[in-house]
Amino acid sequence: AEQWIRKGIAAIEKHWPGIASQLRASFIEMRKGEQDWTRVAALHADDFFVEPSLQTFQTLQQAAKRAGVWPDVRAAAMRYLETGARPQPSTPSWPLPESGLKTTTEPRLIHPPMTDQLIDIAIAEKRPDEVLRWYDQRKPRPRGLDYGWFAEDRIAEAVMEAYPDRAVAIWKQLAEKQIALTKPKAYEEAAGYLRKVHRVQKQLGKEQDWENYLASIRRTNERKRRLVQILDTLSGRRIVDVM
């Protein structure tokens, strides 16, 4: 069965990657049935180095923990994300054997440090210092190719307890980007971020800073009637009071 799986993957991987992936999953299940966790971890390591992501990292983590080699595997995986240096088999720093399953899939083009993946892992591991470390090292993105407002919001949420001022700064930036779109829907999105700014600054006893910031946004955008209405509700004023 293993021989046919190997032959099948080699024959169809380039043209039918979905079927090859199913065969690979069957191969992994066979190793799990044998409780060969070292080999299972090696197979998942192959997946991680071809397609590094939080998901492939966590799948590798589960298998490597069962094999009792996670600390060394994690160190090598993080080194790969940071520098692009893939661990070499049969070296003291890499505890896993060859997976026994050749693949023709080319690893995707990488540009270390892979900050998006490093941020995702740091958030999952609840390490706000690392979240900010890699957030601050992210390369500027061309317009339209940004990491995404949702991801920025997650970053702010992840560091809010340890670094509230940094979270506030991120939410302010997100709000201002939305306001600059000059669309009613974007104004509503901005209001969501501004509410988070208010929540944190209230907890910090910085209500005056919040009032000053809100007033400055209102002055800068006083011609945007719909936005001003939304800002007035954030300040506690009802729309009917200002119409």
Side-chain angles (χ1 to χ4, degrees), residues 147-162:
Y147 190 35
W149 288 310
F150 174 70
E152 299 272 353
D153 187 31
R154 284 198 311 123
I155 289 167
E157 292 283 0
V159 304
M160 179 184 64
E161 294 295 331

Side-chain angles (χ1 to χ4, degrees), residues 123-147:
I123 290 175
E125 294 181 344
K126 302 187 187 316
R127 298 160 64 94
D129 290 355
E130 290 296 295
V131 174
L132 283 183
R133 174 191 174 195
W134 296 115
Y135 175 69
D136 289 338
Q137 291 190 40
R138 286 192 337 175
K139 297 179 177 68
R141 315 297 172 84
R143 188 175 180 84
L145 296 178
D146 193 66
Y147 190 35

Side-chain angles (χ1 to χ4, degrees), residues 110-126:
I110 62 170
H111 301 283
M114 291 174 253
T115 51
D116 291 352
Q117 293 88 338
L118 288 162
I119 288 170
D120 286 341
I121 291 169
I123 290 175
E125 294 181 344
K126 302 187 187 316

Side-chain angles (χ1 to χ4, degrees), residues 175-233:
E176 290 162 14
K177 284 181 179 178
Q178 291 286 353
I179 290 170
L181 296 176
T182 62
K183 297 178 181 179
K185 184 177 180 181
Y187 297 156
E188 296 288 349
E189 291 288 336
Y193 299 128
L194 292 173
R195 289 188 184 95
K196 294 183 178 185
V197 170
H198 185 200
R199 181 187 70 199
V200 174
Q201 291 194 315
K202 184 177 181 180
Q203 292 173 349
L204 296 175
K206 295 183 177 181
E207 282 278 9
Q208 190 58 55
D209 288 350
W210 158 252
E211 294 295 341
N212 293 342
Y213 177 65
L214 195 63
S216 71
I217 293 179
R218 196 181 192 283
R219 285 194 302 271
T220 304
N221 301 278
E222 58 186 5
R223 294 185 180 181
K224 299 173 182 175
R225 181 174 175 79
R226 179 55 186 154
L227 174 63
V228 169
Q229 291 175 345
I230 292 173
L231 295 178
D232 284 335
T233 64

